């Protein structure tokens, strides 16, 4: 029997897990992604059933979910397997700040707490607006966000937007609408030519090594390298398109741009 709201939900990415906890609906979650670390207790409370592009389908089916929440074309294969097994699947595809806020509202509707979700989303909107309205020196610092190091991949949409909200200027704003990482590859020469004042790096779960960044050909001329303004931002707070990015991720960018000057 299926219920509304669904009583048993599996989340294949972290942002829906965090959102359900923030909505007070965590008891509905029966399985999560192995990457789910927010809030911290999720690792103790919920069984892990998937990575990002792979999942333990038999383990998911054994949990008898009434709804599985997935993300993007990268999980299309998993979603298709579950649909063929008769499971209801909702696939989100948020790639910008507006999409993150829409995901929160949609998820609230899916679990029958639309009013609570609206309140949560509006709280984030107020927070973003307050950060954007803070007086900053002009011109804004030029920022290069590096999502991967080999090849060099610049920041996805919501990251680029958060840099601007924090008072910076993304050096590759024209790439923000390109969803696929392969379409955001940039050259060593292009970054050198952009001459960023700050380099923010989050190598998708791999530890950032600033020394490697400094050793790239000709990068000693880049202001960010010369002034030692290379800052790692941990993947869970910036590369997940959910509440983490709008809170701790944004705060980390603000700190990197304005509070860590040499």
């Amino acid at each position: 029997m299926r219920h509304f709201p669904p009583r048993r939900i599996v989340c294949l990415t972290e942002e829906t897990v965090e959102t359900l906890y923030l909505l007070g609906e965590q008891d509905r979650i029966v399985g999560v992604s192995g990457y789910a670390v927010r809030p911290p207790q999720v690792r103790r409370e919920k069984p892990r059933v998937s990575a990002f592009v792979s999942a333990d389908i038999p383990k998911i089916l054994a949990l008898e979910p009434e709804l599985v929440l997935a993300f993007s074309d990268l999980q299309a294969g998993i979603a298709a397997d579950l649909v063929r097994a008769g499971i209801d699947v909702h696939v989100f595809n948020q790639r910008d700040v507006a999409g993150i806020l829409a995901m929160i509202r949609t998820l609230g509707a899916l679990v029958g707490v639309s009013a609570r979700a609206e309140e949560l989303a509006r709280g984030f909107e107020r927070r973003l607006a307050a950060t954007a309205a803070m007086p900053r020196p002009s011109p804004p610092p030029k920022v290069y966000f590096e999502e991967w190091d080999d090849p060099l991949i610049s920041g996805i949409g919501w990251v680029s937007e958060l840099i601007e909200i924090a008072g910076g200027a993304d050096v590759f704003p024209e790439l923000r609408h390109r969803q696929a990482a392969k379409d955001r590859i940039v050259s060593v020469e292009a970054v050198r030519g952009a001459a960023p004042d700050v380099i923010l790096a989050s190598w998708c779960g791999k530890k950032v090594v600033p020394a490697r960044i400094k050793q790239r050909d000709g990068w000693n001329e880049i202001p960010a390298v010369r002034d030692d303004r290379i800052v790692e931002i941990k993947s869970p707070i910036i590369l997940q398109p959910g509440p983490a990015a709008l809170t701790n991720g944004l705060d980390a960018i603000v700190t990197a741009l304005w509070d860590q000057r040499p």
Side-chain angles (χ1 to χ4, degrees):
M1 177 184 287
R2 294 181 182 176
H3 306 88
F4 181 82
R7 297 178 184 175
R8 302 181 63 81
I9 298 175
V10 167
C11 301
L12 300 182
T13 53
E14 190 202 47
E15 63 277 357
T16 50
V17 174
E18 184 176 12
T19 301
L20 286 170
Y21 269 87
L22 289 171
L23 293 172
E25 298 298 318
Q26 64 270 19
D27 289 349
R28 300 182 188 279
I29 303 173
V30 294
V32 299
S33 159
Y35 292 104
V37 295
R38 292 170 62 93
Q41 64 265 34
V42 70
R43 296 186 74 81
R44 301 190 307 270
E45 295 176 350
K46 308 296 181 182
R48 296 186 285 279
V49 298
S50 69
F52 188 59
V53 295
S54 63
D56 188 333
I57 300 297
K59 190 172 183 179
I60 292 173
L61 297 178
L63 292 170
E64 299 182 338
E66 295 175 302
L67 177 65
V68 173
L69 301 172
F71 174 72
S72 87
D73 57 304
L74 296 172
Q75 295 190 328
I78 303 170
D81 288 343
L82 292 169
V83 169
R84 281 190 283 266
I87 303 297
D88 286 355
V89 179
H90 184 98
V91 182
F92 288 101
N93 207 15
Q94 71 276 15
R95 309 287 182 130
D96 53 21
V97 170
I100 294 171
L101 295 166
M103 176 275 291
I104 292 168
R105 290 177 165 109
T106 301
L107 183 51
L110 287 171
V111 297
V113 290
S114 293
R116 221 177 304 155
E118 181 64 27
E119 182 181 351
L120 181 64
R122 287 190 178 184
F124 288 138
E125 288 171 339
R126 287 191 294 271
R127 194 180 196 280
L128 293 167
T131 301
M134 292 180 71
R136 307 288 189 195
S138 187
K142 294 187 291 182
V143 181
Y144 165 56
F145 186 96
E146 186 167 287
E147 190 176 302
W148 192 247
D149 63 323
D150 185 22
L152 305 187
I153 296 174
S154 67
I156 198 167
W158 69 85
V159 175
S160 178
E161 288 181 85
L162 291 173
I163 288 169
E164 291 186 356
I165 290 169
D170 181 3
V171 296
F172 298 117
E174 70 280 4
L175 302 183
R176 73 168 59 163
H177 301 299
R178 300 184 185 179
Q179 295 187 8
K182 65 180 176 59
D183 295 328
R184 285 180 278 110
I185 293 173
V186 296
S187 67
V188 169
E189 293 75 20
V191 179
R192 191 169 62 210
D197 300 302
V198 182
I199 294 174
L200 304 178
S202 187
W203 290 351
C204 211
K206 181 173 73 172
K207 185 172 176 55
V208 171
V209 184
R212 275 195 225 153
I213 295 175
K214 294 176 181 178
Q215 290 165 1
R216 292 173 186 161
D217 186 34
W219 279 34
N220 58 311
E221 304 164 9
I222 294 175
V225 174
R226 186 184 62 226
D227 299 336
D228 198 26
R229 297 191 68 189
I230 301 170
V231 180
E232 177 179 17
I233 297 182
K234 299 296 185 183
S235 300
I237 65 168
I238 195 64
L239 295 183
Q240 304 276 8
L246 305 185
T247 55
N248 298 95
L250 176 59
D251 290 348
I253 296 173
V254 169
T255 298
L257 298 193
W258 305 110
D259 296 339
Q260 289 189 351
R261 296 188 171 231

